[in-house]
Amino acid sequence: IPKRDWSSDVCSSDLVAVVYARNRASVTFDNKTWRMEYQASEQGFRYVDTTVEWSGRDDLAALRESAGKPLAFNCRPTRRMS
């Protein structure tokens, strides 16, 4: 089985929408919206709920299931404040 080249995958801003408010983020992907709480991270930012995590740096982010499976990655986060 060939290894997948994750670096070639791009997260379109049409696929993931994020709205930040204080210590929370609402992340929408594939017609689902999660309301996540901020958790301290040594590397960039991290928002979590019981099933998913939105984490990354100012220039690159990923939406992952709690088990680590990526849902959307190589995302360029745009900050929209509510």
Side-chain angles (χ1 to χ4, degrees):
I1 299 173
K3 288 186 177 181
R4 181 166 180 173
D5 179 10
W6 294 103
S7 65
S8 65
D9 292 308
V10 175
C11 175
S12 167
S13 60
D14 295 338
L15 299 176
V16 176
V18 182
V19 177
Y20 297 92
R22 295 192 184 196
N23 289 331
R24 297 188 178 117
S26 292
V27 180
T28 302
F29 173 72
D30 196 24
N31 295 320
K32 296 177 189 173
T33 299
W34 297 273
R35 287 168 180 77
M36 302 180 203
E37 298 288 328
Y38 176 79
Q39 288 190 348
S41 173
E42 292 180 11
Q43 299 177 348
F45 60 86
R46 183 172 187 246
Y47 293 85
V48 298
D49 80 352
T50 57
T51 60
V52 295
E53 168 183 306
W54 172 248
S55 60
R57 301 178 309 271
D58 287 339
D59 61 336
L60 203 59
L63 179 65
R64 301 182 192 289
E65 292 180 345
S66 295
K69 177 184 173 190
L71 299 172
F73 42 90
N74 290 350
C75 299
R76 305 258 183 248
T78 55
R79 294 196 171 271
R80 289 188 287 170
M81 305 299 283
S82 66

